[in-house]
Amino acid sequence: MSNRTARSSRTKTLQADVLLPGRSQQHLGAVLSVLSGLIWPVQAAVVAWALGVLVQGELPSPWFVALGFAGLGGLRAVLTYTAEAQAQAAAEAVITSARAALVAAEAKRADDSPFGGAGSVAALAGEKLDLLAPFVTRYAPAQARVMVLPLVILALALWQSWAVAVVLMISGPLIPVFMALVGMAAKEASARQMTEVGTLNDFLVERLSALVDIRLLGAGPAVMQGFASAAGDLRRRSMAVLAVAFLSSTVLELFAAIGVAMVAVYVGFSLLGLLEFGAWGSALSPQAGIFLLLLAPEFYQPLRDLSAAWHDKAAADAVLDELASYAAKPGTPLPGTGGQAAPLQGPASLALRGCRTPSGRILPDIEIAPGERVALIGPSGSGKTTALRLMAGLELGPVTVAGQPLTSQNADGWRARLGWMPQAPHFLFGSLRQNLTLGREGDLATALKTAAVGDVVQAMAQGLGTKLGETGGGLSGGEARRITLARAVFGNPDVILADEPTADLDAATAQAVTEGLLAQPQGVTLVVATHDLALAARMDRIIDLAAPEVEARL
């Protein structure tokens, strides 16, 4: 099976799964939309009968015609409104479910997404998923109408005149053929546009995260030029998608106009007596001619609706392809559920035996007793961060915690006992209080005092209510590091894991962070991965991950 065939198969399977939450509303909306379209031939018959009677010199009952036409029109409006409401409900269910699944998958991810950067994932979960709504609300109902209404109208036209039916049968199938040809180009253009949107989002996120460095280096003009170039590429791809959409509409309108014109010419010349073929056994009556003239535009209308929504399908297919690519790269899942859990019972001990780094390097066997303070040292790439992630239950391996093997079943309970201080400070988009407590109970004042960050909080205009961005906007690097220390020690954890807690800090701030870590009560297990030999020297024990005995095992 070729890669394209396999990808198409995955996309179809994923499409069925993605559309499943709104399938019942979508099917009901499609049925109501078809029923609404089937009312028009009845309305056309009423109008044709009334005009045919007038042409013959008789006067039809105006109340009967008006009430019949208005009643059918009211019923059609109700069915159309209900169908659109059901389609909108289906779209909301589909998008909400897909977005929730995407966010849940990212929340349970233990590492960076292999799909792309944060900008790509955010674009997919945000603006791109919204492109499924037009597909559900417009294309799916139009597709249902195309499968029914043209055949019904063709049968009614054939009942009145085989010549009109031939015109419709010749012109009608040409439209789907050209739509398919244009549609392939539309899908490719939409896919390129979707990729460019994700790339531009990644570009923006990366530049915003490095905004301070860009300003210090005076690289603002170069960054702006690069961003302008990327935005220009996206604009050109967006215009290419619109050009394909207008092309498909133009092709359809051309064939529809030709078909309606041919029906009108035939009916006109038949009623004038200039054509004597095309009807069944007798000349075409005025009533039949008017009926055919009213039906002809409606024969093409479902095809026109489908063409107008064709680029919606192309955009949805591009989004589904991205979802399939995302699903094909699950990455490393976070052990457990990632939610709150009761703390795992047992001593605050740790043990690693036979663990490896992602590069395949073997880590030394590590055993840490409850209450012990241990420093992990070694050059970059020796496995310090990997060891901490294994201890924190962010990855699974031959790890023993609290006297029992660490598994997906007890990982949440083990993490409930931890305080985590990452190498790169990261915050939620919320208040400072929310970022410190994370919904836990504890003594916030003591945590701020331990991290020597109380004065920083007091200096903020809104104090603990100050809103922080993901990178801690408004905080210096040292202040952000101390905030993460306060978050790690808040709630009196049994184990604190700190990854390079003093890296890139000035001497005074590094000393404050060091004292805060060492100020933990007796019995709290402390593991620090660091290049700071001064910090390491103050621990109970130092484990060098690049020691000769470790190298001998490679």
Side-chain angles (χ1 to χ4, degrees):
M1 181 183 293
S2 65
N3 291 335
R4 177 173 294 183
T5 303
R7 185 168 60 250
S8 176
S9 178
R10 289 197 305 267
T11 301
K12 289 181 180 179
T13 302
L14 180 66
Q15 177 176 340
D17 294 338
V18 170
L19 298 181
L20 183 61
R23 180 168 297 173
S24 58
Q25 294 104 320
Q26 187 176 351
H27 285 174
L28 179 58
V31 170
L32 293 176
S33 180
V34 170
L35 292 176
S36 173
L38 291 175
I39 292 178
W40 173 247
V42 183
Q43 288 182 288
V46 172
V47 173
W49 173 80
L51 294 178
V53 171
L54 283 175
V55 170
Q56 295 175 0
E58 301 179 9
L59 183 63
S61 172
W63 287 108
F64 173 78
V65 175
L67 290 177
F69 188 84
L72 291 171
L75 177 60
R76 186 180 186 185
V78 170
L79 290 174
T80 300
Y81 175 82
T82 307
E84 291 176 353
Q86 290 294 321
Q88 187 62 41
E92 292 177 0
V94 167
I95 294 174
T96 301
S97 176
R99 183 167 291 148
L102 197 62
V103 172
E106 285 299 308
K108 294 186 64 176
R109 189 180 297 282
D111 53 4
D112 293 335
S113 173
F115 171 75
S120 294
V121 177
L124 179 59
E127 56 188 295
K128 292 184 181 181
L129 281 182
D130 287 336
L131 295 177
L132 295 177
F135 170 75
V136 176
T137 58
R138 295 178 57 191
Y139 180 82
Q143 187 180 33
R145 292 195 298 271
V146 164
M147 296 173 65
V148 177
L149 297 183
L151 295 178
V152 173
I153 292 176
L154 181 63
L156 293 174
L158 182 61
W159 181 35
Q160 300 294 332
S161 170
W162 60 264
V164 172
V166 169
V167 171
L168 297 180
M169 283 190 292
I170 292 176
S171 59
L174 291 176
I175 296 173
V177 172
F178 280 93
M179 284 175 60
L181 295 176
V182 175
M184 289 186 290
K187 182 177 180 179
E188 293 179 0
S190 295
R192 290 192 295 268
Q193 183 199 26
M194 294 296 166
T195 302
E196 196 68 28
V197 169
T199 302
L200 187 60
N201 275 273
D202 283 340
F203 183 89
L204 181 59
V205 169
E206 291 173 359
R207 297 306 182 270
L208 287 176
S209 63
L211 189 58
V212 175
D213 295 331
I214 291 173
R215 295 183 64 181
L216 290 175
L217 295 173
V223 172
M224 289 296 294
Q225 182 178 0
F227 189 76
S229 176
D233 290 339
L234 177 60
R235 181 173 60 252
R236 285 188 289 272
R237 295 191 188 281
S238 298
M239 293 304 297
V241 174
L242 291 176
V244 172
F246 282 119
L247 174 62
S248 63
S249 297
T250 301
V251 170
L252 177 59
E253 292 295 339
L254 173 63
F255 284 101
I258 292 175
V260 171
M262 292 178 66
V263 172
V265 168
Y266 168 77
V267 170
F269 280 104
S270 295
L271 293 179
L272 291 174
L274 299 178
L275 293 178
E276 298 181 355
F277 67 90
W280 298 102
S282 61
L284 193 69
S285 66
Q287 180 176 339
I290 295 172
F291 183 62
L292 292 172
L293 288 175
L294 292 173
L295 286 184
E298 289 300 311
F299 175 82
Y300 299 101
Q301 187 60 46
L303 296 172
R304 298 171 67 182
D305 294 340
L306 189 65
S307 175
W310 192 261
H311 65 283
D312 296 328
K313 179 182 183 299
D317 285 344
V319 173
L320 291 171
D321 283 341
E322 286 207 18
L323 285 174
S325 298
Y326 177 86
K329 301 174 181 178
T332 304
L334 180 70
T337 64
Q340 293 185 352
L344 182 66
Q345 299 300 312
S349 60
L350 291 159
L352 276 64
R353 296 182 179 86
C355 296
R356 291 178 177 268
T357 67
S359 63
R361 178 185 177 84
I362 300 176
L363 294 174
D365 290 344
I366 300 174
E367 293 190 13
I368 301 175
E372 192 176 12
R373 299 178 177 184
V374 177
L376 304 179
I377 65 172
S380 298
S382 59
K384 298 187 299 297
T385 298
T386 299
L388 285 184
R389 290 178 62 84
L390 288 166
M391 294 178 186
L394 299 179
E395 299 177 14
L396 290 180
V399 180
T400 301
V401 297
Q404 52 190 292
L406 180 64
T407 65
S408 294
Q409 286 69 38
N410 60 22
D412 292 319
W414 172 244
R415 287 194 293 264
R417 301 180 61 179
L418 301 182
W420 174 257
M421 190 175 178
Q423 182 175 355
H426 188 83
F427 301 97
L428 303 174
F429 188 76
S431 68
L432 179 57
R433 183 187 300 275
Q434 291 172 322
N435 276 278
L436 288 168
T437 63
L438 299 177
R440 301 168 296 172
E441 299 292 335
D443 188 348
L444 187 55
T446 300
L448 294 176
K449 182 179 178 180
T450 300
V453 77
D455 56 339
V456 175
V457 176
Q458 291 179 357
M460 294 181 175
Q462 297 179 342
L464 291 172
T466 302
K467 296 288 185 180
L468 295 180
E470 292 185 1
T471 57
L475 297 174
S476 67
E479 291 170 345
R481 192 68 61 84
R482 282 183 284 165
I483 290 292
T484 60
L485 172 59
R487 180 170 62 189
V489 302
F490 177 79
N492 300 319
D494 298 322
V495 180
I496 296 178
L497 305 176
D499 191 2
E500 299 288 358
T502 59
D504 304 322
L505 298 180
D506 60 81
T509 304
Q511 181 66 23
V513 171
T514 299
E515 296 300 331
L517 288 170
L518 296 176
Q520 299 309 301
Q522 290 294 326
V524 174
T525 304
L526 175 62
V527 183
V528 176
T530 183
H531 286 95
D532 187 349
L533 297 182
L535 171 61
R538 300 187 64 179
M539 299 292 109
D540 299 336
R541 183 158 55 101
I542 297 176
I543 299 177
D544 188 353
L545 300 186
E549 59 267 23
V550 178
E551 297 292 340
R553 299 177 58 199
L554 296 180

